[in-house]
Amino acid sequence: MIELDDRLRVLRRSAREWGEELRELGEGLDRDPGNTGDLAGATGVRYISRMMIPPEFQGAALRQSGYTFHGNTALERVVAVEELGRGDAGAFLAAPGPSLSGGIVALLGDEVQQRWFFEHFAAEPVWTFFGLTEPDHGSDASAMRTTLAPAADGDGAVLTGEKRYVGSAARARLGTVFARTGPGPLGISAAMVETGAAGFHAEPLPTIGLRGAQICAVRFDEVPVPEDRVLGRHLPASSRGMHAATRMFNQFRPGVAALALGIAQAAYDYLDHHRADLVRGSDEALASLADQLVSTRQLVWRAAVCVDKDPSQGSLASAAKARSTGLAEQLTLQALELLGPGARFSHPLPEKLARDARGVEFMEGTTHMQRLNVAQGLINGRIA
Ligand SMILES: Cc1cc2nc3c(=O)[nH]c(=O)nc-3n(C[C@H](O)[C@H](O)[C@H](O)COP(=O)(O)OP(=O)(O)OC[C@H]3O[C@@H](n4cnc5c(N)ncnc54)[C@H](O)[C@@H]3O)c2cc1C
């Protein structure tokens, strides 16, 4: 059983308050995902927007009750993200910050590249995007077709292709893109791209769940990429591309699990608050759901501790993501049943939570893909 220390208990309490602010903002973002104007003032957004910035680039640290928070361990992130997602997962995903791109730049950028990227966040909130998924290659990202090829005039490279379901791309200033530089698994690289570059196009897609994420279709029409924006050039080919993406996803995935757990907890809170309105015989169901929340939280914390020790070990993170997404879907749908006929019309919050839970299922790999990871972990003896 993992117990949080005093520092993380302080963070959990603070994040619960920040989440309440996000709840209000989330309703507006669900109506209009382009409406991010009010986010900048929210304290939780200050935390989120620094989360993937290495401490040496963060400037003044966020402090609460004498403790400093950099969001640079998976355990710290899952504790905060659950509470922020309990407030509103869509608003969490709508927040500015380096997000997944920060993780990739921290892993693959040399010192000059890291400085260039992370200095964007020093003065004001800046949105980023992370371009990996393609229209026909979602779960099988390594089948990507987007290319990063030497420019005809010999000056840098050009990016050509399409990405799909890319969060915040239409409001981002910069981001990272994975593209093919050659055949095979080693022929994939990541590059930093500014959205103001010629040939960059991003269009929001119509969505039902997690609308705050504003996922987009992105097109690159021969976008020029200066040579010094290609990441990982100082590393062996085996450490770049999909190898780095896998390592980064392992570190980030417990956070996605925590986001799902936050949605599940929010649905439970709602049921608990409306006990008097529930259909007959609900008490037993609520007791079982409360137990499942506690055990799933332990799994998410364990997964975070595991990737903090060794970021190459992602099997437990996959198990945590599959389990917490399953619980979020089950609990939000069950909430609508327990609230009785017509609940989708008369209870807007659980109705939204059910839509958002389905969205998390697709983020960072579906449950099928997580199960494949877990199976490989078992076969290779990485988990017992
Ligand atoms: C809210 C949200 C935010 C996102 N943000 C980003 C982002 O910022 N950047 C980005 O690049 N992408 C992003 N994505 C995309 C996400 O990573 C993909 O949706 C995900 O990888 C699945 O790909 P797909 O949607 O093409 O589904 P597909 O891969 O087409 O899968 C469809 C179905 O087939 C199943 N399936 C596929 N392959 C297998 C297999 N081998 N075995 C068993 N079942 C299989 C899947 O489980 C799923 O049920 C986001 C998605 C969402 C919903």
Side-chain angles (χ1 to χ4, degrees):
M1 180 102 177
I2 294 179
E3 302 272 356
L4 299 182
D5 62 16
D6 189 51
R7 178 178 166 275
L8 290 178
R9 283 201 299 272
V10 164
L11 178 64
R12 197 170 183 210
R13 274 197 302 276
S14 304
R16 190 162 303 173
E17 285 169 25
W18 305 337
E20 282 163 20
E21 251 182 302
L22 292 192
R23 171 73 55 85
E24 282 177 33
L25 296 167
E27 285 169 21
L29 284 159
D30 192 45
R31 277 193 298 276
D32 174 11
N35 180 16
T36 51
D38 297 332
L39 276 175
T43 317
V45 171
R46 268 188 65 209
Y47 180 80
I48 300 165
S49 61
R50 289 151 174 257
M51 239 166 41
M52 296 306 280
I53 304 180
E56 61 270 32
F57 295 109
Q58 281 198 15
L62 188 68
R63 292 183 66 80
Q64 293 282 315
S65 306
Y67 293 113
T68 302
F69 298 100
H70 286 115
N72 62 331
T73 66
L75 184 60
E76 186 190 310
R77 288 196 295 271
V78 296
V79 167
V81 171
E82 180 192 341
E83 295 302 332
L84 295 166
R86 184 177 179 177
D88 192 84
F92 172 83
L93 293 170
S99 190
L100 288 167
S101 284
I104 272 299
V105 175
L107 266 181
L108 288 182
D110 62 28
E111 209 184 313
V112 176
Q113 290 173 321
Q114 290 201 29
R115 189 166 303 287
W116 179 83
F117 183 83
F118 290 115
E119 275 180 353
H120 282 87
F121 307 93
E124 55 176 344
V126 169
W127 278 266
T128 57
F129 73 95
F130 176 82
L132 178 66
T133 309
E134 295 192 355
D136 297 318
H137 317 290
S139 298
D140 186 10
S142 57
M144 70 177 66
R145 297 232 180 91
T146 297
T147 57
L148 186 67
D153 61 5
D155 188 12
V158 286
L159 189 62
T160 309
E162 277 182 81
K163 297 286 175 184
R164 188 65 61 88
Y165 317 127
V166 179
S168 292
R171 55 190 171 211
R173 188 179 299 171
L174 75 167
T176 51
V177 179
F178 283 81
R180 228 163 234 300
T181 49
L186 297 185
I188 292 175
S189 284
M192 301 184 287
V193 172
E194 288 174 284
T195 55
F200 181 96
H201 309 275
E203 189 68 33
L205 294 164
T207 51
I208 293 173
L210 291 177
R211 283 169 49 75
Q214 199 176 53
I215 55 178
C216 296
V218 180
R219 208 176 71 243
F220 309 102
D221 288 336
E222 301 194 344
V223 174
V225 178
E227 205 180 327
D228 58 1
R229 302 281 158 79
V230 180
L231 295 163
R233 288 170 312 153
H234 61 302
L235 300 171
S238 57
S239 305
R240 301 180 214 150
M242 291 312 293
H243 176 270
T246 303
R247 205 176 161 89
M248 194 269 302
F249 279 134
N250 287 347
Q251 290 171 287
F252 212 75
R253 189 165 293 128
V256 182
L259 196 64
L261 187 60
I263 294 173
Q265 182 66 55
Y268 178 87
D269 296 343
Y270 192 90
L271 290 175
D272 196 29
H273 192 75
H274 290 82
R275 269 180 193 263
D277 305 333
L278 304 185
V279 297
R280 223 176 312 148
S282 299
D283 283 350
E284 209 174 293
L286 279 184
S288 160
L289 292 169
D291 287 347
Q292 291 180 61
L293 282 165
V294 171
S295 60
T296 305
R297 183 170 299 112
Q298 277 296 316
L299 178 59
V300 172
W301 288 356
R302 268 184 61 204
V305 169
C306 178
V307 294
D308 280 336
K309 270 197 204 128
D310 182 353
S312 69
Q313 299 298 322
S315 304
L316 212 52
S318 286
K321 203 255 168 178
R323 170 89 179 266
S324 61
T325 309
L327 180 59
E329 289 204 60
Q330 177 207 331
L331 210 161
T332 53
L333 292 175
Q334 206 171 337
L336 292 169
E337 277 175 30
L338 295 176
L339 286 160
R344 277 192 189 267
F345 297 101
S346 47
H347 294 276
L349 180 62
E351 187 275 334
K352 176 180 185 300
L353 293 169
R355 288 187 279 119
D356 287 349
R358 189 67 192 143
V360 187
E361 156 65 14
F362 280 84
M363 280 178 69
E364 295 230 11
T366 62
T367 296
H368 293 128
M369 306 319 288
Q370 308 304 342
R371 286 186 181 149
L372 285 173
N373 284 349
V374 173
Q376 276 163 6
L378 284 168
I379 290 165
N380 300 332
R382 288 196 297 266
I383 43 175

